[in-house]
Coordinates of all heavy atoms in Angstrom, one line a residue:
D49 N 7.0 -16.8 -0.4 CA 8.2 -17.4 0.0 C 8.8 -16.8 1.2 O 10.0 -16.6 1.4 CB 9.3 -17.3 -1.2 CG 8.8 -18.0 -2.4 OD1 8.2 -19.1 -2.3 OD2 9.2 -17.6 -3.5
G50 N 7.9 -16.5 2.2 CA 8.3 -16.0 3.5 C 8.6 -14.5 3.5 O 9.0 -14.0 4.6
E51 N 8.5 -13.8 2.4 CA 8.9 -12.4 2.4 C 7.7 -11.5 1.9 O 7.0 -11.9 1.0 CB 10.1 -12.2 1.5 CG 11.4 -12.8 2.0 CD 12.6 -12.3 1.1 OE1 12.4 -11.4 0.3 OE2 13.6 -12.9 1.3
A52 N 7.6 -10.4 2.6 CA 6.5 -9.5 2.2 C 6.9 -8.9 0.9 O 8.0 -8.4 0.6 CB 6.4 -8.4 3.3
L53 N 5.9 -8.8 0.0 CA 6.1 -8.2 -1.3 C 6.1 -6.7 -1.2 O 5.3 -6.1 -0.4 CB 5.0 -8.6 -2.3 CG 5.0 -10.1 -2.6 CD1 3.9 -10.4 -3.7 CD2 6.3 -10.7 -3.0
T54 N 6.9 -6.0 -2.0 CA 7.0 -4.5 -1.9 C 6.6 -4.0 -3.3 O 6.7 -4.7 -4.3 CB 8.3 -4.0 -1.5 OG1 9.3 -4.5 -2.4 CG2 8.6 -4.4 -0.1
T55 N 6.2 -2.7 -3.4 CA 5.9 -2.1 -4.6 C 6.4 -0.7 -4.6 O 6.6 -0.1 -3.5 CB 4.4 -2.1 -4.9 OG1 4.1 -1.5 -6.1 CG2 3.6 -1.5 -3.7
T56 N 6.5 0.0 -5.7 CA 6.8 1.4 -5.8 C 5.7 2.1 -6.5 O 5.9 3.2 -7.1 CB 8.2 1.7 -6.5 OG1 8.1 1.1 -7.9 CG2 9.3 1.1 -5.8
E57 N 4.5 1.5 -6.6 CA 3.4 2.1 -7.3 C 2.2 2.4 -6.4 O 1.1 2.4 -6.8 CB 2.9 1.1 -8.4 CG 4.0 0.6 -9.4 CD 4.5 1.7 -10.2 OE1 3.7 2.6 -10.5 OE2 5.7 1.7 -10.6
S58 N 2.5 2.8 -5.2 CA 1.5 3.1 -4.2 C 0.8 4.5 -4.4 O 1.5 5.4 -4.8 CB 2.0 3.0 -2.8 OG 2.4 1.7 -2.5
V59 N -0.4 4.5 -4.1 CA -1.2 5.8 -4.1 C -1.8 5.9 -2.7 O -2.7 5.0 -2.4 CB -2.2 5.9 -5.2 CG1 -3.0 7.2 -5.1 CG2 -1.6 5.8 -6.6
V60 N -1.5 6.9 -1.9 CA -2.0 7.0 -0.6 C -2.8 8.3 -0.5 O -2.3 9.4 -0.7 CB -0.8 7.0 0.5 CG1 -1.4 7.2 1.9 CG2 0.1 5.8 0.3
A61 N -4.0 8.2 -0.1 CA -4.9 9.3 0.0 C -4.9 10.1 -1.3 O -5.0 11.4 -1.3 CB -4.6 10.2 1.1
G62 N -4.9 9.4 -2.5 CA -4.9 10.1 -3.7 C -3.6 10.7 -4.2 O -3.5 11.3 -5.2
V63 N -2.5 10.4 -3.4 CA -1.2 11.0 -3.7 C -0.2 9.9 -4.1 O 0.1 9.0 -3.3 CB -0.6 11.7 -2.5 CG1 0.8 12.3 -2.8 CG2 -1.5 12.8 -2.0
P64 N 0.2 9.8 -5.4 CA 1.2 8.8 -5.8 C 2.5 9.0 -5.0 O 3.1 10.1 -5.0 CB 1.4 9.1 -7.3 CG 0.2 9.9 -7.7 CD -0.2 10.7 -6.5
I65 N 3.0 7.9 -4.4 CA 4.3 8.0 -3.7 C 5.1 6.8 -4.2 O 4.9 5.7 -3.9 CB 4.1 7.9 -2.2 CG1 3.3 9.1 -1.7 CG2 5.4 7.8 -1.4 CD1 3.0 9.1 -0.2
K66 N 6.1 7.1 -5.0 CA 6.9 6.1 -5.7 C 8.1 5.7 -4.9 O 9.3 5.8 -5.4 CB 7.3 6.7 -7.1 CG 7.6 5.6 -8.1 CD 7.9 6.2 -9.5 CE 8.0 5.1 -10.6 NZ 8.8 4.0 -10.3
L67 N 7.9 5.2 -3.7 CA 9.0 4.8 -2.9 C 8.7 3.3 -2.5 O 7.5 2.9 -2.5 CB 9.1 5.6 -1.6 CG 9.5 7.1 -1.8 CD1 9.4 7.8 -0.5 CD2 11.0 7.1 -2.2
P68 N 9.7 2.5 -2.2 CA 9.4 1.1 -1.8 C 8.5 1.0 -0.6 O 8.7 1.7 0.5 CB 10.8 0.6 -1.4 CG 11.8 1.5 -2.2 CD 11.2 2.8 -2.1
M69 N 7.4 0.3 -0.7 CA 6.4 0.1 0.3 C 6.0 -1.3 0.3 O 5.9 -2.0 -0.8 CB 5.2 1.0 0.1 CG 5.5 2.5 0.2 SD 3.9 3.4 0.1 CE 4.6 5.1 0.1
V70 N 5.6 -1.9 1.5 CA 5.0 -3.2 1.5 C 3.7 -3.1 0.6 O 3.0 -2.0 0.6 CB 4.6 -3.6 2.9 CG1 5.9 -4.0 3.7 CG2 3.8 -2.6 3.6
D71 N 3.4 -4.1 -0.1 CA 2.3 -4.1 -1.0 C 1.0 -4.3 -0.3 O 0.4 -5.4 -0.2 CB 2.5 -5.2 -2.1 CG 1.5 -5.0 -3.3 OD1 0.7 -4.0 -3.3 OD2 1.5 -5.9 -4.1
V72 N 0.5 -3.2 0.4 CA -0.7 -3.3 1.2 C -1.8 -2.6 0.5 O -1.7 -1.5 -0.1 CB -0.4 -2.5 2.6 CG1 -1.7 -2.3 3.4 CG2 0.6 -3.4 3.4
H73 N -3.0 -3.2 0.6 CA -4.2 -2.5 0.1 C -5.1 -2.3 1.3 O -5.4 -3.3 2.1 CB -4.9 -3.4 -0.9 CG -6.1 -2.7 -1.5 ND1 -6.0 -1.7 -2.5 CD2 -7.4 -2.9 -1.4 CE1 -7.2 -1.3 -2.8 NE2 -8.1 -1.9 -2.2
T74 N -5.6 -1.1 1.5 CA -6.4 -0.7 2.7 C -7.8 -0.4 2.3 O -8.0 0.3 1.3 CB -5.7 0.5 3.4 OG1 -4.4 0.2 3.7 CG2 -6.5 0.9 4.6
V75 N -8.8 -0.9 3.1 CA -10.2 -0.5 2.9 C -10.7 0.0 4.2 O -10.2 -0.4 5.3 CB -11.0 -1.7 2.4 CG1 -10.6 -2.1 1.0 CG2 -10.9 -2.9 3.3
S76 N -11.7 0.8 4.1 CA -12.3 1.4 5.4 C -13.3 0.4 6.0 O -14.5 0.7 6.0 CB -12.9 2.7 5.0 OG -13.9 2.6 4.0
A77 N -12.8 -0.7 6.5 CA -13.7 -1.7 7.1 C -13.0 -2.1 8.4 O -12.5 -3.2 8.5 CB -14.0 -2.9 6.2
G78 N -13.0 -1.3 9.4 CA -12.4 -1.6 10.7 C -13.5 -1.8 11.7 O -14.7 -1.6 11.4
G79 N -13.1 -2.1 12.9 CA -14.1 -2.3 14.0 C -14.9 -1.1 14.3 O -16.0 -1.1 14.7
G80 N -14.2 0.1 14.1 CA -14.9 1.3 14.4 C -15.6 2.0 13.2 O -16.1 3.1 13.3
S81 N -15.6 1.3 12.0 CA -16.2 1.9 10.8 C -17.7 2.0 11.0 O -18.4 1.1 11.4 CB -15.9 1.0 9.6 OG -14.5 1.0 9.3
V82 N -18.2 3.2 10.7 CA -19.6 3.5 11.0 C -20.5 3.0 9.9 O -20.2 3.1 8.7 CB -19.8 5.0 11.1 CG1 -21.2 5.4 11.2 CG2 -19.0 5.6 12.3

């Protein structure tokens, strides 16, 4: 509905961070990924 979804259940680099964050999922598949 035109708005980015947020979550408070994120784990970044193995560290749970329970703050409002955009609901982003990251994978190591970039242009420079070896």
Side-chain angles (χ1 to χ4, degrees):
D49 296 329
E51 292 190 12
L53 299 186
T54 58
T55 180
T56 57
E57 304 295 330
S58 296
V59 178
V60 182
V63 179
I65 298 181
K66 203 176 186 319
L67 293 171
M69 299 186 182
V70 290
D71 192 5
V72 169
H73 185 75
T74 301
V75 292
S76 55
S81 294
V82 172

